[in-house]
Amino acid sequence: MPKTARKPLDAFVFDAYGTLFDVHSVTTLAEALAPGRGAELSRTWRAKQLEYTWLQSLMAGDGFVREDFAQVTAEALDYAIAALVLPLDEGDRARLAAAYLTLDAFPDAHATLAALAPRPRWILSNGTLAGLTPLVRHNGMEALIDGVLSVDAVGVYKPAPQVYALAAQRLALPPARIGFVSSNCWDAIGAKAYGFTSFWINRTGAPIDRHGPWPDHVLGSLGDLEGSDALPPR
Amino acid sequence: MPKTARKPLDAFVFDAYGTLFDVHSVTTLAEALAPGRGAELSRTWRAKQLEYTWLQSLMAGDGFVREDFAQVTAEALDYAIAALVLPLDEGDRARLAAAYLTLDAFPDAHATLAALAPRPRWILSNGTLAGLTPLVRHNGMEALIDGVLSVDAVGVYKPAPQVYALAAQRLALPPARIGFVSSNCWDAIGAKAYGFTSFWINRTGAPIDRHGPWPDHVLGSLGDLEGSDALPPR
Protein backbone atom coordinates (compact mmCIF):
# COMPACT_ATOMS: atom_id res chain seq x y z
CA MET A 1 0.00 0.00 0.00
CA PRO A 2 1.51 3.39 -0.95
CA LYS A 3 2.21 5.73 1.94
CA THR A 4 -0.31 8.28 0.76
CA ALA A 5 -3.11 5.76 1.26
CA ARG A 6 -2.32 5.23 4.95
CA LYS A 7 -4.71 6.69 7.43
CA PRO A 8 -3.19 7.55 10.79
CA LEU A 9 -4.47 5.73 13.83
CA ASP A 10 -7.12 7.43 15.94
CA ALA A 11 -5.79 6.69 19.43
CA PHE A 12 -2.98 4.97 21.32
CA VAL A 13 -3.09 2.62 24.27
CA PHE A 14 0.11 1.85 26.17
CA ASP A 15 1.14 -0.92 28.47
CA ALA A 16 2.70 0.47 31.67
CA TYR A 17 5.32 -1.77 33.30
CA GLY A 18 8.34 -2.19 31.07
CA THR A 19 6.79 -0.16 28.24
CA LEU A 20 6.32 3.40 29.54
CA PHE A 21 7.99 2.81 32.90
CA ASP A 22 11.40 1.27 33.42
CA VAL A 23 11.69 -1.37 36.11
CA HIS A 24 15.42 -0.66 36.39
CA SER A 25 15.03 1.17 39.69
CA VAL A 26 13.75 -2.09 41.18
CA THR A 27 16.92 -3.79 39.96
CA THR A 28 19.06 -1.07 41.52
CA LEU A 29 17.39 -1.49 44.90
CA ALA A 30 17.54 -5.29 44.59
CA GLU A 31 21.28 -5.07 43.95
CA ALA A 32 21.70 -2.84 47.00
CA LEU A 33 19.80 -5.32 49.17
CA ALA A 34 21.35 -8.47 47.66
CA PRO A 35 24.76 -7.50 46.28
CA GLY A 36 25.69 -9.49 43.18
CA ARG A 37 22.20 -11.01 42.92
CA GLY A 38 20.08 -7.96 42.10
CA ALA A 39 19.60 -8.60 38.41
CA GLU A 40 18.82 -12.27 39.04
CA LEU A 41 16.31 -11.37 41.76
CA SER A 42 14.62 -8.79 39.54
CA ARG A 43 14.46 -11.22 36.61
CA THR A 44 13.06 -14.14 38.67
CA TRP A 45 10.58 -11.83 40.40
CA ARG A 46 9.27 -10.42 37.11
CA ALA A 47 9.00 -13.84 35.44
CA LYS A 48 7.01 -15.27 38.36
CA GLN A 49 4.85 -12.14 38.57
CA LEU A 50 3.71 -12.66 34.98
CA GLU A 51 3.35 -16.43 35.43
CA TYR A 52 1.12 -15.89 38.46
CA THR A 53 -1.13 -13.44 36.55
CA TRP A 54 -1.67 -16.06 33.85
CA LEU A 55 -2.17 -18.93 36.28
CA GLN A 56 -4.59 -17.01 38.51
CA SER A 57 -6.59 -15.86 35.50
CA LEU A 58 -6.97 -19.47 34.38
CA MET A 59 -7.72 -20.82 37.86
CA ALA A 60 -10.46 -18.29 38.56
CA GLY A 61 -13.87 -19.81 39.12
CA ASP A 62 -16.03 -21.19 41.91
CA GLY A 63 -13.07 -22.39 43.94
CA PHE A 64 -10.63 -19.56 43.40
CA VAL A 65 -10.69 -15.77 43.20
CA ARG A 66 -8.00 -13.85 41.31
CA GLU A 67 -5.88 -11.53 43.45
CA ASP A 68 -4.85 -8.03 42.37
CA PHE A 69 -1.46 -7.14 40.89
CA ALA A 70 -0.05 -5.81 44.15
CA GLN A 71 -0.79 -9.12 45.87
CA VAL A 72 0.53 -11.21 42.98
CA THR A 73 3.68 -9.06 42.90
CA ALA A 74 4.26 -9.67 46.62
CA GLU A 75 3.78 -13.44 46.17
CA ALA A 76 6.18 -13.52 43.24
CA LEU A 77 8.77 -11.64 45.30
CA ASP A 78 8.41 -14.18 48.13
CA TYR A 79 8.98 -16.98 45.61
CA ALA A 80 12.01 -15.29 44.07
CA ILE A 81 13.63 -14.66 47.46
CA ALA A 82 13.05 -18.29 48.46
CA ALA A 83 14.30 -19.64 45.12
CA LEU A 84 17.52 -17.62 45.32
CA VAL A 85 17.86 -18.24 49.08
CA LEU A 86 18.35 -14.55 49.87
CA PRO A 87 18.37 -13.24 53.46
CA LEU A 88 15.80 -10.46 52.90
CA ASP A 89 13.39 -9.56 55.68
CA GLU A 90 9.89 -8.07 55.70
CA GLY A 91 11.27 -4.54 55.56
CA ASP A 92 13.35 -5.36 52.48
CA ARG A 93 10.32 -6.90 50.80
CA ALA A 94 8.21 -3.85 51.55
CA ARG A 95 10.88 -1.55 50.09
CA LEU A 96 11.12 -3.62 46.91
CA ALA A 97 7.33 -3.67 46.48
CA ALA A 98 7.18 0.09 47.13
CA ALA A 99 9.77 0.69 44.39
CA TYR A 100 7.02 -0.11 41.88
CA LEU A 101 5.30 3.17 42.85
CA THR A 102 8.25 5.36 41.84
CA LEU A 103 9.52 3.76 38.62
CA ASP A 104 11.00 6.24 36.16
CA ALA A 105 9.56 6.62 32.68
CA PHE A 106 11.84 5.67 29.78
CA PRO A 107 13.76 8.72 28.51
CA ASP A 108 11.78 8.93 25.26
CA ALA A 109 8.33 8.42 26.81
CA HIS A 110 7.41 12.08 27.39
CA ALA A 111 8.39 13.28 23.91
CA THR A 112 6.62 10.36 22.23
CA LEU A 113 3.40 10.89 24.16
CA ALA A 114 3.53 14.62 23.42
CA ALA A 115 4.03 13.96 19.70
CA LEU A 116 0.92 11.76 19.52
CA ALA A 117 -1.39 14.53 20.79
CA PRO A 118 -4.12 15.56 20.25
CA ARG A 119 -5.04 11.91 19.74
CA PRO A 120 -6.07 10.12 22.95
CA ARG A 121 -3.24 8.37 24.80
CA TRP A 122 -4.33 5.85 27.42
CA ILE A 123 -2.69 3.31 29.69
CA LEU A 124 -4.07 -0.25 29.89
CA SER A 125 -2.27 -2.26 32.54
CA ASN A 126 -2.33 -5.36 34.74
CA GLY A 127 -1.66 -2.98 37.62
CA THR A 128 -4.16 -1.54 40.06
CA LEU A 129 -5.29 2.06 39.77
CA ALA A 130 -3.73 2.57 43.22
CA GLY A 131 -0.40 1.43 41.75
CA LEU A 132 -0.63 3.20 38.40
CA THR A 133 -1.82 6.64 39.43
CA PRO A 134 1.29 7.41 41.54
CA LEU A 135 3.49 6.37 38.59
CA VAL A 136 1.87 8.87 36.25
CA ARG A 137 2.16 11.58 38.90
CA HIS A 138 5.75 10.66 39.86
CA ASN A 139 6.77 11.15 36.23
CA GLY A 140 4.79 14.36 35.68
CA MET A 141 2.69 12.76 32.96
CA GLU A 142 -0.74 14.02 34.00
CA ALA A 143 -1.04 16.17 30.87
CA LEU A 144 0.31 13.45 28.57
CA ILE A 145 -2.00 10.60 29.57
CA ASP A 146 -5.72 10.95 28.93
CA GLY A 147 -6.76 8.06 31.11
CA VAL A 148 -5.67 4.93 32.94
CA LEU A 149 -7.46 1.58 32.68
CA SER A 150 -6.78 -1.35 35.00
CA VAL A 151 -7.62 -5.00 34.34
CA ASP A 152 -9.40 -4.87 37.69
CA ALA A 153 -12.44 -3.53 35.83
CA VAL A 154 -12.87 -6.93 34.13
CA GLY A 155 -11.37 -9.21 36.78
CA VAL A 156 -8.88 -11.04 34.58
CA TYR A 157 -5.31 -10.34 33.49
CA LYS A 158 -3.83 -9.82 30.02
CA PRO A 159 -3.88 -11.31 27.42
CA ALA A 160 -7.59 -12.12 27.91
CA PRO A 161 -9.60 -10.38 25.16
CA GLN A 162 -11.91 -8.83 27.77
CA VAL A 163 -8.97 -6.69 28.89
CA TYR A 164 -8.30 -5.26 25.44
CA ALA A 165 -12.04 -4.82 24.89
CA LEU A 166 -12.07 -2.53 27.91
CA ALA A 167 -9.93 0.01 26.04
CA ALA A 168 -11.81 -0.32 22.75
CA GLN A 169 -15.12 0.24 24.54
CA ARG A 170 -13.84 3.19 26.55
CA LEU A 171 -12.41 4.86 23.44
CA ALA A 172 -15.49 3.90 21.38
CA LEU A 173 -13.33 3.11 18.36
CA PRO A 174 -12.92 0.02 16.15
CA PRO A 175 -9.93 -1.96 17.52
CA ALA A 176 -7.94 -1.65 14.28
CA ARG A 177 -8.06 2.16 14.59
CA ILE A 178 -6.30 1.96 17.96
CA GLY A 179 -2.53 1.57 18.24
CA PHE A 180 -1.60 -0.71 21.12
CA VAL A 181 1.98 -0.39 22.33
CA SER A 182 3.80 -2.88 24.55
CA SER A 183 7.36 -3.98 25.18
CA ASN A 184 6.00 -7.36 26.27
CA CYS A 185 5.83 -9.44 23.10
CA TRP A 186 3.05 -11.69 24.44
CA ASP A 187 1.00 -8.56 25.24
CA ALA A 188 1.50 -7.14 21.73
CA ILE A 189 0.46 -10.54 20.33
CA GLY A 190 -2.62 -10.70 22.57
CA ALA A 191 -3.58 -7.19 21.47
CA LYS A 192 -3.17 -8.18 17.82
CA ALA A 193 -5.32 -11.29 18.35
CA TYR A 194 -8.00 -9.02 19.78
CA GLY A 195 -7.84 -6.76 16.76
CA PHE A 196 -5.75 -3.73 17.71
CA THR A 197 -3.03 -2.37 15.44
CA SER A 198 -0.20 -3.68 17.56
CA PHE A 199 3.31 -2.32 18.18
CA TRP A 200 5.96 -4.39 19.91
CA ILE A 201 8.73 -2.27 21.42
CA ASN A 202 11.66 -4.69 21.29
CA ARG A 203 14.40 -2.75 23.05
CA THR A 204 16.65 -5.77 23.59
CA GLY A 205 16.49 -7.51 20.21
CA ALA A 206 14.64 -10.47 21.76
CA PRO A 207 13.26 -13.25 19.54
CA ILE A 208 9.60 -12.88 18.72
CA ASP A 209 7.09 -15.19 20.37
CA ARG A 210 5.40 -17.86 18.24
CA HIS A 211 2.08 -18.61 19.89
CA GLY A 212 -0.17 -16.12 18.12
CA PRO A 213 -0.48 -13.51 15.36
CA TRP A 214 2.59 -11.31 15.05
CA PRO A 215 2.34 -7.63 15.97
CA ASP A 216 1.88 -5.23 13.04
CA HIS A 217 5.04 -3.31 13.89
CA VAL A 218 8.25 -4.15 15.71
CA LEU A 219 10.13 -1.06 16.89
CA GLY A 220 13.37 -0.62 18.80
CA SER A 221 12.14 2.15 21.09
CA LEU A 222 9.14 4.29 21.96
CA GLY A 223 10.78 7.09 19.97
CA ASP A 224 10.43 5.02 16.81
CA LEU A 225 6.64 5.24 17.17
CA GLU A 226 6.71 8.77 15.78
CA GLY A 227 8.29 7.64 12.53
CA SER A 228 6.38 4.40 12.13
CA ASP A 229 4.20 3.70 9.11
CA ALA A 230 0.96 3.87 11.00
CA LEU A 231 1.49 7.47 12.01
CA PRO A 232 0.93 10.52 9.82
CA PRO A 233 3.96 12.21 8.27
CA ARG A 234 5.28 14.96 10.52
CA MET B 1 -6.76 -36.55 62.98
CA PRO B 2 -5.55 -40.00 64.13
CA LYS B 3 -4.45 -42.37 61.38
CA THR B 4 -7.24 -44.80 62.06
CA ALA B 5 -9.81 -42.13 61.12
CA ARG B 6 -8.34 -41.58 57.64
CA LYS B 7 -10.26 -42.90 54.74
CA PRO B 8 -8.16 -43.83 51.72
CA LEU B 9 -8.76 -41.93 48.52
CA ASP B 10 -11.01 -43.54 45.93
CA ALA B 11 -9.02 -42.87 42.76
CA PHE B 12 -5.83 -41.26 41.45
CA VAL B 13 -5.28 -38.92 38.55
CA PHE B 14 -1.75 -38.30 37.29
CA ASP B 15 -0.19 -35.57 35.25
CA ALA B 16 1.89 -37.03 32.39
CA TYR B 17 4.86 -34.89 31.30
CA GLY B 18 7.41 -34.59 34.07
CA THR B 19 5.27 -36.55 36.54
CA LEU B 20 4.91 -40.09 35.17
CA PHE B 21 7.21 -39.58 32.18
CA ASP B 22 10.72 -38.18 32.32
CA VAL B 23 11.61 -35.55 29.76
CA HIS B 24 15.28 -36.40 30.19
CA SER B 25 15.47 -38.24 26.87
CA VAL B 26 14.64 -34.92 25.18
CA THR B 27 17.58 -33.34 26.99
CA THR B 28 19.85 -36.16 25.85
CA LEU B 29 18.87 -35.68 22.22
CA ALA B 30 19.12 -31.89 22.57
CA GLU B 31 22.65 -32.27 23.91
CA ALA B 32 23.57 -34.51 20.99
CA LEU B 33 22.21 -31.97 18.50
CA ALA B 34 23.56 -28.87 20.29
CA PRO B 35 26.60 -29.98 22.31
CA GLY B 36 27.01 -28.03 25.53
CA ARG B 37 23.60 -26.35 25.13
CA GLY B 38 21.25 -29.33 25.52
CA ALA B 39 20.10 -28.64 29.06
CA GLU B 40 19.59 -24.96 28.29
CA LEU B 41 17.62 -25.77 25.13
CA SER B 42 15.45 -28.27 26.99
CA ARG B 43 14.81 -25.80 29.83
CA THR B 44 13.96 -22.86 27.56
CA TRP B 45 11.76 -25.08 25.39
CA ARG B 46 9.80 -26.43 28.35
CA ALA B 47 9.34 -23.00 29.96
CA LYS B 48 8.02 -21.50 26.71
CA GLN B 49 5.82 -24.53 26.08
CA LEU B 50 4.03 -23.96 29.39
CA GLU B 51 3.91 -20.19 28.90
CA TYR B 52 2.28 -20.65 25.50
CA THR B 53 -0.39 -23.00 26.93
CA TRP B 54 -1.34 -20.36 29.49
CA LEU B 55 -1.26 -17.47 27.03
CA GLN B 56 -3.27 -19.30 24.37
CA SER B 57 -5.85 -20.36 26.94
CA LEU B 58 -6.30 -16.74 27.98
CA MET B 59 -6.33 -15.37 24.42
CA ALA B 60 -8.98 -17.80 23.20
CA GLY B 61 -12.15 -16.15 22.00
CA ASP B 62 -13.69 -14.71 18.86
CA GLY B 63 -10.36 -13.62 17.43
CA PHE B 64 -8.16 -16.53 18.42
CA VAL B 65 -8.42 -20.32 18.59
CA ARG B 66 -6.21 -22.34 20.95
CA GLU B 67 -3.80 -24.75 19.26
CA ASP B 68 -3.13 -28.28 20.49
CA PHE B 69 -0.13 -29.30 22.58
CA ALA B 70 1.81 -30.69 19.64
CA GLN B 71 1.55 -27.36 17.83
CA VAL B 72 2.38 -25.32 20.94
CA THR B 73 5.35 -27.59 21.60
CA ALA B 74 6.67 -27.01 18.07
CA GLU B 75 6.26 -23.23 18.42
CA ALA B 76 8.06 -23.23 21.76
CA LEU B 77 10.90 -25.22 20.21
CA ASP B 78 11.20 -22.68 17.40
CA TYR B 79 11.38 -19.90 19.97
CA ALA B 80 14.00 -21.70 22.06
CA ILE B 81 16.21 -22.41 19.04
CA ALA B 82 15.97 -18.75 17.97
CA ALA B 83 16.61 -17.45 21.49
CA LEU B 84 19.73 -19.59 21.90
CA VAL B 85 20.80 -19.00 18.27
CA LEU B 86 21.28 -22.71 17.57
CA PRO B 87 21.93 -24.04 14.04
CA LEU B 88 19.20 -26.70 14.10
CA ASP B 89 17.33 -27.51 10.89
CA GLU B 90 13.84 -28.86 10.22
CA GLY B 91 15.03 -32.46 10.59
CA ASP B 92 16.52 -31.70 14.02
CA ARG B 93 13.29 -30.03 15.09
CA ALA B 94 11.24 -33.01 13.95
CA ARG B 95 13.50 -35.40 15.87
CA LEU B 96 13.20 -33.33 19.05
CA ALA B 97 9.42 -33.13 18.76
CA ALA B 98 9.24 -36.87 18.08
CA ALA B 99 11.22 -37.58 21.26
CA TYR B 100 8.09 -36.66 23.19
CA LEU B 101 6.47 -39.86 21.90
CA THR B 102 9.07 -42.16 23.46
CA LEU B 103 9.77 -40.61 26.85
CA ASP B 104 10.65 -43.13 29.55
CA ALA B 105 8.58 -43.45 32.68
CA PHE B 106 10.28 -42.58 35.97
CA PRO B 107 11.80 -45.70 37.59
CA ASP B 108 9.23 -45.82 40.39
CA ALA B 109 6.17 -45.17 38.21
CA HIS B 110 5.24 -48.80 37.46
CA ALA B 111 5.48 -50.03 41.06
CA THR B 112 3.55 -47.04 42.37
CA LEU B 113 0.74 -47.45 39.85
CA ALA B 114 0.59 -51.18 40.60
CA ALA B 115 0.38 -50.54 44.35
CA LEU B 116 -2.63 -48.23 43.94
CA ALA B 117 -4.74 -50.88 42.24
CA PRO B 118 -7.57 -51.80 42.24
CA ARG B 119 -8.44 -48.12 42.58
CA PRO B 120 -8.75 -46.30 39.25
CA ARG B 121 -5.54 -44.67 37.98
CA TRP B 122 -6.03 -42.11 35.22
CA ILE B 123 -3.89 -39.65 33.30
CA LEU B 124 -5.07 -36.04 32.86
CA SER B 125 -2.71 -34.11 30.61
CA ASN B 126 -2.25 -31.02 28.45
CA GLY B 127 -1.12 -33.43 25.73
CA THR B 128 -3.16 -34.78 22.85
CA LEU B 129 -4.47 -38.34 22.91
CA ALA B 130 -2.29 -38.91 19.84
CA GLY B 131 0.71 -37.89 21.89
CA LEU B 132 -0.21 -39.64 25.15
CA THR B 133 -1.32 -43.04 23.89
CA PRO B 134 2.11 -43.94 22.41
CA LEU B 135 3.75 -42.97 25.73
CA VAL B 136 1.62 -45.41 27.70
CA ARG B 137 2.30 -48.13 25.15
CA HIS B 138 6.04 -47.37 24.89
CA ASN B 139 6.33 -47.87 28.65
CA GLY B 140 4.16 -51.00 28.80
CA MET B 141 1.64 -49.33 31.07
CA GLU B 142 -1.57 -50.44 29.40
CA ALA B 143 -2.54 -52.57 32.39
CA LEU B 144 -1.55 -49.91 34.93
CA ILE B 145 -3.52 -46.96 33.52
CA ASP B 146 -7.30 -47.16 33.44
CA GLY B 147 -7.80 -44.23 31.12
CA VAL B 148 -6.25 -41.17 29.54
CA LEU B 149 -7.92 -37.75 29.47
CA SER B 150 -6.70 -34.85 27.33
CA VAL B 151 -7.50 -31.18 27.84
CA ASP B 152 -8.61 -31.24 24.20
CA ALA B 153 -12.00 -32.46 25.46
CA VAL B 154 -12.61 -29.06 27.05
CA GLY B 155 -10.55 -26.83 24.74
CA VAL B 156 -8.46 -25.08 27.39
CA TYR B 157 -5.19 -25.92 29.13
CA LYS B 158 -4.43 -26.49 32.81
CA PRO B 159 -4.92 -24.99 35.36
CA ALA B 160 -8.43 -24.04 34.18
CA PRO B 161 -10.99 -25.69 36.50
CA GLN B 162 -12.81 -27.15 33.48
CA VAL B 163 -9.81 -29.41 32.93
CA TYR B 164 -9.86 -30.85 36.43
CA ALA B 165 -13.65 -31.14 36.27
CA LEU B 166 -13.20 -33.45 33.28
CA ALA B 167 -11.57 -36.05 35.51
CA ALA B 168 -14.02 -35.65 38.39
CA GLN B 169 -16.94 -36.07 36.00
CA ARG B 170 -15.42 -39.08 34.26
CA LEU B 171 -14.68 -40.79 37.57
CA ALA B 172 -18.05 -39.71 39.01
CA LEU B 173 -16.47 -38.99 42.39
CA PRO B 174 -16.38 -35.92 44.65
CA PRO B 175 -13.11 -34.07 43.88
CA ALA B 176 -11.79 -34.42 47.43
CA ARG B 177 -12.00 -38.23 47.10
CA ILE B 178 -9.61 -38.11 44.13
CA GLY B 179 -5.85 -37.87 44.60
CA PHE B 180 -4.29 -35.64 41.94
CA VAL B 181 -0.56 -36.12 41.44
CA SER B 182 1.74 -33.71 39.61
CA SER B 183 5.40 -32.75 39.68
CA ASN B 184 4.41 -29.31 38.36
CA CYS B 185 3.72 -27.21 41.44
CA TRP B 186 1.33 -24.87 39.60
CA ASP B 187 -0.65 -27.92 38.43
CA ALA B 188 -0.89 -29.34 41.95
CA ILE B 189 -2.04 -25.89 43.14
CA GLY B 190 -4.62 -25.64 40.36
CA ALA B 191 -5.92 -29.10 41.26
CA LYS B 192 -6.17 -28.11 44.92
CA ALA B 193 -8.06 -24.91 44.00
CA TYR B 194 -10.50 -27.09 42.07
CA GLY B 195 -11.03 -29.36 45.05
CA PHE B 196 -8.90 -32.44 44.51
CA THR B 197 -6.73 -33.90 47.24
CA SER B 198 -3.49 -32.73 45.74
CA PHE B 199 0.02 -34.22 45.77
CA TRP B 200 3.03 -32.25 44.58
CA ILE B 201 5.96 -34.50 43.62
CA ASN B 202 8.89 -32.18 44.32
CA ARG B 203 11.85 -34.24 43.11
CA THR B 204 14.28 -31.31 43.02
CA GLY B 205 13.55 -29.56 46.31
CA ALA B 206 12.15 -26.54 44.46
CA PRO B 207 10.47 -23.70 46.38
CA ILE B 208 6.70 -23.92 46.48
CA ASP B 209 4.65 -21.51 44.40
CA ARG B 210 2.70 -18.78 46.18
CA HIS B 211 -0.21 -17.91 43.92
CA GLY B 212 -2.88 -20.29 45.22
CA PRO B 213 -3.80 -22.88 47.86
CA TRP B 214 -0.93 -25.20 48.72
CA PRO B 215 -1.15 -28.87 47.77
CA ASP B 216 -2.26 -31.23 50.53
CA HIS B 217 0.94 -33.28 50.31
CA VAL B 218 4.47 -32.58 49.13
CA LEU B 219 6.42 -35.74 48.33
CA GLY B 220 9.94 -36.31 47.07
CA SER B 221 9.06 -39.04 44.58
CA LEU B 222 6.21 -41.07 43.15
CA GLY B 223 7.33 -43.91 45.39
CA ASP B 224 6.49 -41.83 48.46
CA LEU B 225 2.86 -41.90 47.34
CA GLU B 226 2.50 -45.41 48.70
CA GLY B 227 3.45 -44.36 52.22
CA SER B 228 1.60 -41.04 52.27
CA ASP B 229 -1.07 -40.28 54.84
CA ALA B 230 -3.89 -40.29 52.36
CA LEU B 231 -3.33 -43.93 51.46
CA PRO B 232 -4.46 -46.95 53.49
CA PRO B 233 -1.87 -48.76 55.60
CA ARG B 234 -0.22 -51.56 53.66
Side-chain angles (χ1 to χ4, degrees), chain A residues 40-90:
Chain A
E40 195 182 0
L41 172 57
S42 180
R43 202 166 47 238
T44 305
W45 182 12
R46 173 68 173 165
K48 269 291 160 180
Q49 178 193 51
L50 291 176
E51 185 180 314
Y52 286 177
T53 63
W54 302 327
L55 290 169
Q56 286 207 350
S57 293
L58 281 175
M59 287 164 63
D62 289 346
F64 185 80
V65 177
R66 180 196 71 106
E67 297 167 314
D68 74 19
F69 197 63
Q71 183 63 29
V72 164
T73 298
E75 291 165 356
L77 177 58
D78 284 345
Y79 175 93
I81 289 170
L84 303 179
V85 198
L86 299 175
L88 301 189
D89 62 20
E90 282 308 311

Side-chain angles (χ1 to χ4, degrees), chain B residues 3 11-12 30 35 43 91 107 109 135 154 205 222 228:
Chain B
K3 276 215 166 183
F12 285 87
R43 201 166 48 237
L135 269 187
V154 288
L222 286 177
S228 74

Side-chain angles (χ1 to χ4, degrees), chain A residues 49-187:
Chain A
Q49 178 193 51
L50 291 176
E51 185 180 314
Y52 286 177
T53 63
W54 302 327
L55 290 169
Q56 286 207 350
S57 293
L58 281 175
M59 287 164 63
D62 289 346
F64 185 80
V65 177
R66 180 196 71 106
E67 297 167 314
D68 74 19
F69 197 63
Q71 183 63 29
V72 164
T73 298
E75 291 165 356
L77 177 58
D78 284 345
Y79 175 93
I81 289 170
L84 303 179
V85 198
L86 299 175
L88 301 189
D89 62 20
E90 282 308 311
D92 298 330
R93 287 164 211 250
R95 285 179 65 196
L96 284 163
Y100 263 86
L101 301 177
T102 55
L103 300 176
D104 290 329
F106 282 98
D108 50 359
H110 291 78
T112 300
L113 289 168
L116 299 176
R119 291 175 289 173
R121 300 141 303 172
W122 286 66
I123 285 174
L124 175 65
S125 168
N126 273 341
T128 64
L129 290 181
L132 294 164
T133 309
L135 269 186
V136 173
R137 195 181 312 124
H138 172 73
N139 286 284
M141 282 185 170
E142 292 94 332
L144 297 171
I145 293 290
D146 296 287
V148 178
L149 298 169
S150 163
V151 299
D152 291 348
V154 289
V156 63
Y157 287 106
K158 296 176 180 178
Q162 305 96 292
V163 174
Y164 303 112
L166 188 62
Q169 287 160 6
R170 182 64 185 76
L171 287 161
L173 288 169
R177 303 297 313 141
I178 297 172
F180 182 87
V181 185
S182 181
S183 65
N184 297 292
C185 189
W186 59 269
D187 188 18

Side-chain angles (χ1 to χ4, degrees), chain B residues 186-227:
Chain B
W186 58 269
D187 188 18
I189 287 175
K192 175 62 183 173
Y194 172 71
F196 285 138
T197 296
S198 178
F199 296 77
W200 177 32
I201 308 297
N202 183 13
R203 292 190 180 92
T204 62
I208 197 162
D209 274 308
R210 263 72 171 179
H211 64 286
W214 286 18
D216 297 280
H217 305 271
V218 182
L219 308 176
S221 72
L222 286 177
D224 292 343
L225 211 46
E226 293 185 56

Side-chain angles (χ1 to χ4, degrees), chain B residues 84-109:
Chain B
L84 303 179
V85 198
L86 299 175
L88 301 190
D89 64 18
E90 282 307 312
D92 297 331
R93 287 163 211 251
R95 284 179 66 195
L96 283 164
Y100 263 85
L101 302 176
T102 54
L103 300 177
D104 291 327
F106 282 98
D108 49 359

